[in-house]
PDB file of all heavy atoms in Angstrom:
ATOM      1  N   GLY A   1       0.780  -1.223  -0.018  1.00 97.00           N
ATOM      2  CA  GLY A   1       0.008   0.014  -0.012  1.00 97.00           C
ATOM      3  C   GLY A   1       0.805   1.260   0.013  1.00 97.00           C
ATOM      4  O   GLY A   1       0.253   2.378   0.028  1.00 97.00           O
ATOM      5  N   LEU A   2       2.141   1.169  -0.074  1.00 98.00           N
ATOM      6  CA  LEU A   2       3.012   2.327  -0.021  1.00 98.00           C
ATOM      7  C   LEU A   2       3.822   2.464  -1.300  1.00 98.00           C
ATOM      8  O   LEU A   2       4.230   1.452  -1.895  1.00 98.00           O
ATOM      9  CB  LEU A   2       3.986   2.255   1.162  1.00 98.00           C
ATOM     10  CG  LEU A   2       3.374   2.173   2.570  1.00 98.00           C
ATOM     11  CD1 LEU A   2       4.464   1.851   3.573  1.00 98.00           C
ATOM     12  CD2 LEU A   2       2.693   3.497   2.913  1.00 98.00           C
ATOM     13  N   LEU A   3       4.040   3.684  -1.754  1.00 98.00           N
ATOM     14  CA  LEU A   3       4.861   3.941  -2.912  1.00 98.00           C
ATOM     15  C   LEU A   3       6.341   3.740  -2.554  1.00 98.00           C
ATOM     16  O   LEU A   3       6.810   4.308  -1.537  1.00 98.00           O
ATOM     17  CB  LEU A   3       4.661   5.343  -3.474  1.00 98.00           C
ATOM     18  CG  LEU A   3       3.295   5.653  -4.074  1.00 98.00           C
ATOM     19  CD1 LEU A   3       3.223   7.142  -4.401  1.00 98.00           C
ATOM     20  CD2 LEU A   3       3.026   4.817  -5.327  1.00 98.00           C
ATOM     21  N   VAL A   4       7.059   3.004  -3.344  1.00 98.00           N
ATOM     22  CA  VAL A   4       8.500   2.784  -3.156  1.00 98.00           C
ATOM     23  C   VAL A   4       9.206   3.255  -4.414  1.00 98.00           C
ATOM     24  O   VAL A   4       8.823   2.906  -5.535  1.00 98.00           O
ATOM     25  CB  VAL A   4       8.857   1.263  -2.912  1.00 98.00           C
ATOM     26  CG1 VAL A   4      10.336   1.058  -2.872  1.00 98.00           C
ATOM     27  CG2 VAL A   4       8.187   0.801  -1.625  1.00 98.00           C
ATOM     28  N   HIS A   5      10.193   4.127  -4.181  1.00 94.00           N
ATOM     29  CA  HIS A   5      10.943   4.716  -5.346  1.00 94.00           C
ATOM     30  C   HIS A   5      11.915   3.673  -5.871  1.00 94.00           C
ATOM     31  O   HIS A   5      12.707   3.064  -5.175  1.00 94.00           O
ATOM     32  CB  HIS A   5      11.742   5.930  -4.850  1.00 94.00           C
ATOM     33  CG  HIS A   5      12.357   6.722  -5.940  1.00 94.00           C
ATOM     34  ND1 HIS A   5      13.573   6.415  -6.461  1.00 94.00           N
ATOM     35  CD2 HIS A   5      11.918   7.811  -6.640  1.00 94.00           C
ATOM     36  CE1 HIS A   5      13.872   7.258  -7.419  1.00 94.00           C
ATOM     37  NE2 HIS A   5      12.881   8.160  -7.530  1.00 94.00           N
ATOM     38  N   ARG A   6      11.833   3.476  -7.234  1.00 91.00           N
ATOM     39  CA  ARG A   6      12.633   2.427  -7.875  1.00 91.00           C
ATOM     40  C   ARG A   6      13.734   2.964  -8.751  1.00 91.00           C
ATOM     41  O   ARG A   6      14.393   2.215  -9.488  1.00 91.00           O
ATOM     42  CB  ARG A   6      11.706   1.515  -8.733  1.00 91.00           C
ATOM     43  CG  ARG A   6      10.630   0.801  -7.961  1.00 91.00           C
ATOM     44  CD  ARG A   6      11.169  -0.322  -7.152  1.00 91.00           C
ATOM     45  NE  ARG A   6      11.800  -1.314  -7.998  1.00 91.00           N
ATOM     46  CZ  ARG A   6      12.503  -2.332  -7.568  1.00 91.00           C
ATOM     47  NH1 ARG A   6      12.695  -2.484  -6.238  1.00 91.00           N
ATOM     48  NH2 ARG A   6      13.021  -3.208  -8.394  1.00 91.00           N
ATOM     49  N   GLY A   7      13.952   4.262  -8.780  1.00 85.00           N
ATOM     50  CA  GLY A   7      14.982   4.875  -9.583  1.00 85.00           C
ATOM     51  C   GLY A   7      14.402   5.631 -10.770  1.00 85.00           C
ATOM     52  O   GLY A   7      13.196   5.755 -10.937  1.00 85.00           O
ATOM     53  N   ARG A   8      15.270   6.202 -11.582  1.00 84.00           N
ATOM     54  CA  ARG A   8      14.868   6.970 -12.734  1.00 84.00           C
ATOM     55  C   ARG A   8      14.596   6.073 -13.936  1.00 84.00           C
ATOM     56  O   ARG A   8      15.229   5.037 -14.172  1.00 84.00           O
ATOM     57  CB  ARG A   8      15.988   7.930 -13.113  1.00 84.00           C
ATOM     58  CG  ARG A   8      16.264   9.013 -12.074  1.00 84.00           C
ATOM     59  CD  ARG A   8      15.162  10.062 -12.042  1.00 84.00           C
ATOM     60  NE  ARG A   8      15.096  10.759 -13.320  1.00 84.00           N
ATOM     61  CZ  ARG A   8      14.083  11.604 -13.622  1.00 84.00           C
ATOM     62  NH1 ARG A   8      13.112  11.815 -12.767  1.00 84.00           N
ATOM     63  NH2 ARG A   8      14.083  12.214 -14.800  1.00 84.00           N
ATOM     64  N   LEU A   9      13.633   6.518 -14.767  1.00 85.00           N
ATOM     65  CA  LEU A   9      13.392   5.770 -16.011  1.00 85.00           C
ATOM     66  C   LEU A   9      14.612   5.748 -16.868  1.00 85.00           C
ATOM     67  O   LEU A   9      14.901   4.732 -17.506  1.00 85.00           O
ATOM     68  CB  LEU A   9      12.237   6.502 -16.766  1.00 85.00           C
ATOM     69  CG  LEU A   9      10.800   6.141 -16.366  1.00 85.00           C
ATOM     70  CD1 LEU A   9       9.880   7.004 -17.257  1.00 85.00           C
ATOM     71  CD2 LEU A   9      10.495   4.698 -16.540  1.00 85.00           C
ATOM     72  N   ASP A  10      15.371   6.855 -16.888  1.00 76.00           N
ATOM     73  CA  ASP A  10      16.488   6.936 -17.786  1.00 76.00           C
ATOM     74  C   ASP A  10      17.718   6.203 -17.215  1.00 76.00           C
ATOM     75  O   ASP A  10      18.766   6.121 -17.842  1.00 76.00           O
ATOM     76  CB  ASP A  10      16.893   8.404 -18.130  1.00 76.00           C
ATOM     77  CG  ASP A  10      16.958   9.283 -16.891  1.00 76.00           C
ATOM     78  OD1 ASP A  10      17.073   8.773 -15.796  1.00 76.00           O
ATOM     79  OD2 ASP A  10      16.897  10.518 -17.036  1.00 76.00           O
ATOM     80  N   ASP A  11      17.574   5.586 -16.015  1.00 75.00           N
ATOM     81  CA  ASP A  11      18.636   4.759 -15.469  1.00 75.00           C
ATOM     82  C   ASP A  11      18.550   3.299 -15.979  1.00 75.00           C
ATOM     83  O   ASP A  11      19.481   2.539 -15.895  1.00 75.00           O
ATOM     84  CB  ASP A  11      18.570   4.694 -13.924  1.00 75.00           C
ATOM     85  CG  ASP A  11      19.095   5.980 -13.287  1.00 75.00           C
ATOM     86  OD1 ASP A  11      19.748   6.742 -14.001  1.00 75.00           O
ATOM     87  OD2 ASP A  11      18.798   6.233 -12.151  1.00 75.00           O
ATOM     88  N   GLN A  12      17.379   2.992 -16.533  1.00 70.00           N
ATOM     89  CA  GLN A  12      17.206   1.601 -16.987  1.00 70.00           C
ATOM     90  C   GLN A  12      18.139   1.299 -18.139  1.00 70.00           C
ATOM     91  O   GLN A  12      18.374   2.121 -19.028  1.00 70.00           O
ATOM     92  CB  GLN A  12      15.766   1.359 -17.467  1.00 70.00           C
ATOM     93  CG  GLN A  12      14.764   1.154 -16.350  1.00 70.00           C
ATOM     94  CD  GLN A  12      13.397   0.749 -16.900  1.00 70.00           C
ATOM     95  OE1 GLN A  12      13.122   0.903 -18.083  1.00 70.00           O
ATOM     96  NE2 GLN A  12      12.539   0.262 -16.016  1.00 70.00           N
ATOM     97  N   VAL A  13      18.701   0.095 -18.143  1.00 77.00           N
ATOM     98  CA  VAL A  13      19.573  -0.321 -19.211  1.00 77.00           C
ATOM     99  C   VAL A  13      19.163  -1.740 -19.610  1.00 77.00           C
ATOM    100  O   VAL A  13      18.501  -2.474 -18.894  1.00 77.00           O
ATOM    101  CB  VAL A  13      21.069  -0.308 -18.799  1.00 77.00           C
ATOM    102  CG1 VAL A  13      21.535   1.089 -18.545  1.00 77.00           C
ATOM    103  CG2 VAL A  13      21.320  -1.176 -17.583  1.00 77.00           C
ATOM    104  N   LYS A  14      19.561  -2.109 -20.807  1.00 66.00           N
ATOM    105  CA  LYS A  14      19.297  -3.487 -21.280  1.00 66.00           C
ATOM    106  C   LYS A  14      20.629  -4.213 -21.395  1.00 66.00           C
ATOM    107  O   LYS A  14      21.598  -3.745 -22.023  1.00 66.00           O
ATOM    108  CB  LYS A  14      18.595  -3.480 -22.618  1.00 66.00           C
ATOM    109  CG  LYS A  14      17.120  -3.324 -22.534  1.00 66.00           C
ATOM    110  CD  LYS A  14      16.370  -3.781 -23.774  1.00 66.00           C
ATOM    111  CE  LYS A  14      14.874  -3.846 -23.561  1.00 66.00           C
ATOM    112  NZ  LYS A  14      14.161  -4.380 -24.727  1.00 66.00           N
ATOM    113  N   ILE A  15      20.687  -5.334 -20.688  1.00 75.00           N
ATOM    114  CA  ILE A  15      21.883  -6.200 -20.686  1.00 75.00           C
ATOM    115  C   ILE A  15      21.524  -7.492 -21.400  1.00 75.00           C
ATOM    116  O   ILE A  15      20.721  -8.283 -20.865  1.00 75.00           O
ATOM    117  CB  ILE A  15      22.353  -6.461 -19.268  1.00 75.00           C
ATOM    118  CG1 ILE A  15      22.645  -5.142 -18.536  1.00 75.00           C
ATOM    119  CG2 ILE A  15      23.621  -7.332 -19.298  1.00 75.00           C
ATOM    120  CD1 ILE A  15      23.768  -4.335 -19.112  1.00 75.00           C
ATOM    121  N   ARG A  16      22.049  -7.675 -22.602  1.00 62.00           N
ATOM    122  CA  ARG A  16      21.782  -8.872 -23.356  1.00 62.00           C
ATOM    123  C   ARG A  16      20.285  -9.177 -23.465  1.00 62.00           C
ATOM    124  O   ARG A  16      19.833 -10.308 -23.297  1.00 62.00           O
ATOM    125  CB  ARG A  16      22.537 -10.038 -22.750  1.00 62.00           C
ATOM    126  CG  ARG A  16      24.085  -9.898 -22.912  1.00 62.00           C
ATOM    127  CD  ARG A  16      24.839 -10.784 -21.991  1.00 62.00           C
ATOM    128  NE  ARG A  16      26.248 -10.509 -22.132  1.00 62.00           N
ATOM    129  CZ  ARG A  16      26.869  -9.470 -21.513  1.00 62.00           C
ATOM    130  NH1 ARG A  16      26.171  -8.612 -20.785  1.00 62.00           N
ATOM    131  NH2 ARG A  16      28.171  -9.270 -21.691  1.00 62.00           N
ATOM    132  N   GLY A  17      19.528  -8.119 -23.714  1.00 57.00           N
ATOM    133  CA  GLY A  17      18.099  -8.229 -23.942  1.00 57.00           C
ATOM    134  C   GLY A  17      17.262  -8.120 -22.702  1.00 57.00           C
ATOM    135  O   GLY A  17      16.031  -7.933 -22.788  1.00 57.00           O
ATOM    136  N   TYR A  18      17.899  -8.209 -21.518  1.00 64.00           N
ATOM    137  CA  TYR A  18      17.138  -8.081 -20.271  1.00 64.00           C
ATOM    138  C   TYR A  18      17.078  -6.599 -19.862  1.00 64.00           C
ATOM    139  O   TYR A  18      18.059  -5.890 -19.915  1.00 64.00           O
ATOM    140  CB  TYR A  18      17.809  -8.878 -19.139  1.00 64.00           C
ATOM    141  CG  TYR A  18      17.760 -10.358 -19.270  1.00 64.00           C
ATOM    142  CD1 TYR A  18      18.807 -11.065 -19.846  1.00 64.00           C
ATOM    143  CD2 TYR A  18      16.646 -11.082 -18.839  1.00 64.00           C
ATOM    144  CE1 TYR A  18      18.801 -12.432 -19.968  1.00 64.00           C
ATOM    145  CE2 TYR A  18      16.620 -12.445 -18.944  1.00 64.00           C
ATOM    146  CZ  TYR A  18      17.681 -13.121 -19.511  1.00 64.00           C
ATOM    147  OH  TYR A  18      17.659 -14.473 -19.634  1.00 64.00           O
ATOM    148  N   ARG A  19      15.887  -6.171 -19.453  1.00 62.00           N
ATOM    149  CA  ARG A  19      15.756  -4.803 -18.895  1.00 62.00           C
ATOM    150  C   ARG A  19      16.233  -4.862 -17.462  1.00 62.00           C
ATOM    151  O   ARG A  19      15.746  -5.639 -16.604  1.00 62.00           O
ATOM    152  CB  ARG A  19      14.330  -4.362 -18.925  1.00 62.00           C
ATOM    153  CG  ARG A  19      14.109  -2.974 -18.354  1.00 62.00           C
ATOM    154  CD  ARG A  19      12.667  -2.503 -18.419  1.00 62.00           C
ATOM    155  NE  ARG A  19      12.255  -2.287 -19.794  1.00 62.00           N
ATOM    156  CZ  ARG A  19      10.986  -2.021 -20.161  1.00 62.00           C
ATOM    157  NH1 ARG A  19      10.056  -1.979 -19.246  1.00 62.00           N
ATOM    158  NH2 ARG A  19      10.710  -1.819 -21.408  1.00 62.00           N
ATOM    159  N   VAL A  20      17.243  -4.020 -17.121  1.00 77.00           N
ATOM    160  CA  VAL A  20      17.864  -4.057 -15.801  1.00 77.00           C
ATOM    161  C   VAL A  20      17.642  -2.726 -15.112  1.00 77.00           C
ATOM    162  O   VAL A  20      17.820  -1.640 -15.714  1.00 77.00           O
ATOM    163  CB  VAL A  20      19.411  -4.315 -15.947  1.00 77.00           C
ATOM    164  CG1 VAL A  20      20.086  -4.175 -14.594  1.00 77.00           C
ATOM    165  CG2 VAL A  20      19.650  -5.722 -16.532  1.00 77.00           C
ATOM    166  N   GLU A  21      17.239  -2.803 -13.820  1.00 76.00           N
ATOM    167  CA  GLU A  21      17.124  -1.610 -13.006  1.00 76.00           C
ATOM    168  C   GLU A  21      18.348  -1.533 -12.124  1.00 76.00           C
ATOM    169  O   GLU A  21      18.472  -2.295 -11.196  1.00 76.00           O
ATOM    170  CB  GLU A  21      15.822  -1.685 -12.169  1.00 76.00           C
ATOM    171  CG  GLU A  21      14.583  -1.756 -12.971  1.00 76.00           C
ATOM    172  CD  GLU A  21      13.314  -1.856 -12.103  1.00 76.00           C
ATOM    173  OE1 GLU A  21      13.486  -1.895 -10.876  1.00 76.00           O
ATOM    174  OE2 GLU A  21      12.231  -1.893 -12.643  1.00 76.00           O
ATOM    175  N   PRO A  22      19.255  -0.553 -12.359  1.00 86.00           N
ATOM    176  CA  PRO A  22      20.457  -0.462 -11.547  1.00 86.00           C
ATOM    177  C   PRO A  22      20.184  -0.335 -10.042  1.00 86.00           C
ATOM    178  O   PRO A  22      20.965  -0.851  -9.226  1.00 86.00           O
ATOM    179  CB  PRO A  22      21.132   0.788 -12.078  1.00 86.00           C
ATOM    180  CG  PRO A  22      20.693   0.886 -13.498  1.00 86.00           C
ATOM    181  CD  PRO A  22      19.259   0.400 -13.451  1.00 86.00           C
ATOM    182  N   SER A  23      19.066   0.291  -9.692  1.00 82.00           N
ATOM    183  CA  SER A  23      18.730   0.469  -8.252  1.00 82.00           C
ATOM    184  C   SER A  23      18.580  -0.897  -7.571  1.00 82.00           C
ATOM    185  O   SER A  23      18.913  -1.042  -6.354  1.00 82.00           O
ATOM    186  CB  SER A  23      17.462   1.277  -8.040  1.00 82.00           C
ATOM    187  OG  SER A  23      16.353   0.614  -8.636  1.00 82.00           O
ATOM    188  N   GLU A  24      18.123  -1.924  -8.284  1.00 81.00           N
ATOM    189  CA  GLU A  24      17.994  -3.274  -7.685  1.00 81.00           C
ATOM    190  C   GLU A  24      19.384  -3.855  -7.383  1.00 81.00           C
ATOM    191  O   GLU A  24      19.588  -4.472  -6.331  1.00 81.00           O
ATOM    192  CB  GLU A  24      17.227  -4.161  -8.630  1.00 81.00           C
ATOM    193  CG  GLU A  24      16.961  -5.559  -8.065  1.00 81.00           C
ATOM    194  CD  GLU A  24      16.135  -6.419  -8.958  1.00 81.00           C
ATOM    195  OE1 GLU A  24      15.710  -5.937 -10.047  1.00 81.00           O
ATOM    196  OE2 GLU A  24      15.917  -7.621  -8.619  1.00 81.00           O
ATOM    197  N   VAL A  25      20.318  -3.625  -8.296  1.00 90.00           N
ATOM    198  CA  VAL A  25      21.672  -4.126  -8.105  1.00 90.00           C
ATOM    199  C   VAL A  25      22.370  -3.342  -6.963  1.00 90.00           C
ATOM    200  O   VAL A  25      23.070  -3.913  -6.146  1.00 90.00           O
ATOM    201  CB  VAL A  25      22.487  -4.038  -9.393  1.00 90.00           C
ATOM    202  CG1 VAL A  25      23.832  -4.696  -9.221  1.00 90.00           C
ATOM    203  CG2 VAL A  25      21.709  -4.662 -10.546  1.00 90.00           C
ATOM    204  N   GLU A  26      22.122  -2.052  -6.946  1.00 91.00           N
ATOM    205  CA  GLU A  26      22.701  -1.211  -5.873  1.00 91.00           C
ATOM    206  C   GLU A  26      22.201  -1.681  -4.490  1.00 91.00           C
ATOM    207  O   GLU A  26      22.954  -1.709  -3.531  1.00 91.00           O
ATOM    208  CB  GLU A  26      22.329   0.227  -6.120  1.00 91.00           C
ATOM    209  CG  GLU A  26      23.004   0.884  -7.287  1.00 91.00           C
ATOM    210  CD  GLU A  26      22.426   2.208  -7.726  1.00 91.00           C
ATOM    211  OE1 GLU A  26      21.436   2.660  -7.077  1.00 91.00           O
ATOM    212  OE2 GLU A  26      22.933   2.798  -8.708  1.00 91.00           O
ATOM    213  N   ALA A  27      20.926  -2.000  -4.409  1.00 88.00           N
ATOM    214  CA  ALA A  27      20.330  -2.453  -3.130  1.00 88.00           C
ATOM    215  C   ALA A  27      21.044  -3.746  -2.724  1.00 88.00           C
ATOM    216  O   ALA A  27      21.343  -3.953  -1.507  1.00 88.00           O
ATOM    217  CB  ALA A  27      18.838  -2.679  -3.285  1.00 88.00           C
ATOM    218  N   ALA A  28      21.267  -4.677  -3.649  1.00 89.00           N
ATOM    219  CA  ALA A  28      21.923  -5.935  -3.320  1.00 89.00           C
ATOM    220  C   ALA A  28      23.362  -5.673  -2.828  1.00 89.00           C
ATOM    221  O   ALA A  28      23.825  -6.340  -1.885  1.00 89.00           O
ATOM    222  CB  ALA A  28      21.900  -6.871  -4.506  1.00 89.00           C
ATOM    223  N   LEU A  29      24.053  -4.772  -3.467  1.00 95.00           N
ATOM    224  CA  LEU A  29      25.435  -4.434  -3.072  1.00 95.00           C
ATOM    225  C   LEU A  29      25.446  -3.851  -1.662  1.00 95.00           C
ATOM    226  O   LEU A  29      26.293  -4.225  -0.834  1.00 95.00           O
ATOM    227  CB  LEU A  29      26.036  -3.440  -4.048  1.00 95.00           C
ATOM    228  CG  LEU A  29      26.687  -4.055  -5.275  1.00 95.00           C
ATOM    229  CD1 LEU A  29      26.931  -2.982  -6.349  1.00 95.00           C
ATOM    230  CD2 LEU A  29      28.027  -4.735  -4.928  1.00 95.00           C
ATOM    231  N   ARG A  30      24.508  -2.944  -1.373  1.00 92.00           N
ATOM    232  CA  ARG A  30      24.496  -2.284  -0.062  1.00 92.00           C
ATOM    233  C   ARG A  30      24.243  -3.305   1.048  1.00 92.00           C
ATOM    234  O   ARG A  30      24.593  -3.057   2.220  1.00 92.00           O
ATOM    235  CB  ARG A  30      23.427  -1.188   0.002  1.00 92.00           C
ATOM    236  CG  ARG A  30      23.810   0.061  -0.837  1.00 92.00           C
ATOM    237  CD  ARG A  30      22.906   1.220  -0.469  1.00 92.00           C
ATOM    238  NE  ARG A  30      21.498   0.925  -0.762  1.00 92.00           N
ATOM    239  CZ  ARG A  30      20.868   1.299  -1.844  1.00 92.00           C
ATOM    240  NH1 ARG A  30      21.495   1.927  -2.819  1.00 92.00           N
ATOM    241  NH2 ARG A  30      19.588   0.990  -2.022  1.00 92.00           N
ATOM    242  N   ARG A  31      23.625  -4.420   0.718  1.00 91.00           N
ATOM    243  CA  ARG A  31      23.385  -5.431   1.772  1.00 91.00           C
ATOM    244  C   ARG A  31      24.616  -6.230   2.111  1.00 91.00           C
ATOM    245  O   ARG A  31      24.628  -6.933   3.129  1.00 91.00           O
ATOM    246  CB  ARG A  31      22.264  -6.374   1.321  1.00 91.00           C
ATOM    247  CG  ARG A  31      20.859  -5.737   1.329  1.00 91.00           C
ATOM    248  CD  ARG A  31      19.765  -6.760   1.212  1.00 91.00           C
ATOM    249  NE  ARG A  31      19.620  -7.307  -0.164  1.00 91.00           N
ATOM    250  CZ  ARG A  31      18.847  -6.802  -1.087  1.00 91.00           C
ATOM    251  NH1 ARG A  31      18.112  -5.753  -0.814  1.00 91.00           N
ATOM    252  NH2 ARG A  31      18.792  -7.358  -2.285  1.00 91.00           N
ATOM    253  N   LEU A  32      25.677  -6.094   1.329  1.00 95.00           N
ATOM    254  CA  LEU A  32      26.902  -6.785   1.626  1.00 95.00           C
ATOM    255  C   LEU A  32      27.659  -6.111   2.755  1.00 95.00           C
ATOM    256  O   LEU A  32      27.745  -4.848   2.786  1.00 95.00           O
ATOM    257  CB  LEU A  32      27.790  -6.886   0.408  1.00 95.00           C
ATOM    258  CG  LEU A  32      27.199  -7.540  -0.858  1.00 95.00           C
ATOM    259  CD1 LEU A  32      28.217  -7.615  -1.987  1.00 95.00           C
ATOM    260  CD2 LEU A  32      26.654  -8.934  -0.534  1.00 95.00           C
ATOM    261  N   ASP A  33      28.248  -6.842   3.670  1.00 93.00           N
ATOM    262  CA  ASP A  33      28.968  -6.254   4.809  1.00 93.00           C
ATOM    263  C   ASP A  33      30.108  -5.331   4.357  1.00 93.00           C
ATOM    264  O   ASP A  33      30.410  -4.320   5.026  1.00 93.00           O
ATOM    265  CB  ASP A  33      29.521  -7.368   5.713  1.00 93.00           C
ATOM    266  CG  ASP A  33      28.439  -8.140   6.430  1.00 93.00           C
ATOM    267  OD1 ASP A  33      27.316  -7.607   6.543  1.00 93.00           O
ATOM    268  OD2 ASP A  33      28.728  -9.286   6.843  1.00 93.00           O
ATOM    269  N   ALA A  34      30.730  -5.629   3.265  1.00 95.00           N
ATOM    270  CA  ALA A  34      31.909  -4.857   2.828  1.00 95.00           C
ATOM    271  C   ALA A  34      31.505  -3.527   2.183  1.00 95.00           C
ATOM    272  O   ALA A  34      32.376  -2.640   2.024  1.00 95.00           O
ATOM    273  CB  ALA A  34      32.726  -5.679   1.797  1.00 95.00           C
ATOM    274  N   VAL A  35      30.262  -3.355   1.794  1.00 95.00           N
ATOM    275  CA  VAL A  35      29.861  -2.180   0.995  1.00 95.00           C
ATOM    276  C   VAL A  35      29.069  -1.153   1.848  1.00 95.00           C
ATOM    277  O   VAL A  35      28.153  -1.543   2.581  1.00 95.00           O
ATOM    278  CB  VAL A  35      28.990  -2.654  -0.191  1.00 95.00           C
ATOM    279  CG1 VAL A  35      28.489  -1.459  -1.016  1.00 95.00           C
ATOM    280  CG2 VAL A  35      29.813  -3.556  -1.152  1.00 95.00           C
ATOM    281  N   THR A  36      29.483   0.083   1.678  1.00 93.00           N
ATOM    282  CA  THR A  36      28.747   1.171   2.351  1.00 93.00           C
ATOM    283  C   THR A  36      27.750   1.808   1.401  1.00 93.00           C
ATOM    284  O   THR A  36      26.557   1.949   1.662  1.00 93.00           O
ATOM    285  CB  THR A  36      29.699   2.205   2.911  1.00 93.00           C
ATOM    286  OG1 THR A  36      30.640   1.579   3.811  1.00 93.00           O
ATOM    287  CG2 THR A  36      28.954   3.304   3.662  1.00 93.00           C
TER     288      THR A  36
END
């Protein structure tokens, strides 16, 4: 029921045909102990 910001439309990229949202990858990186 809440709006969650997913990044900019112009941040989207296609990697080998897949639409990729960099914010999703950034979130996964931030969850690593080594990454701030």
Side-chain angles (χ1 to χ4, degrees):
L2 300 170
L3 293 173
V4 174
H5 189 274
R6 299 286 299 172
R8 294 286 298 170
L9 277 179
D10 48 19
D11 285 342
Q12 282 188 346
V13 294
K14 277 200 171 183
I15 303 295
R16 293 162 184 79
Y18 291 96
R19 180 180 291 173
V20 173
E21 298 180 359
S23 62
E24 183 177 357
V25 186
E26 291 167 359
L29 274 164
R30 288 194 300 263
R31 286 194 286 268
L32 303 182
D33 291 339
V35 175
T36 302

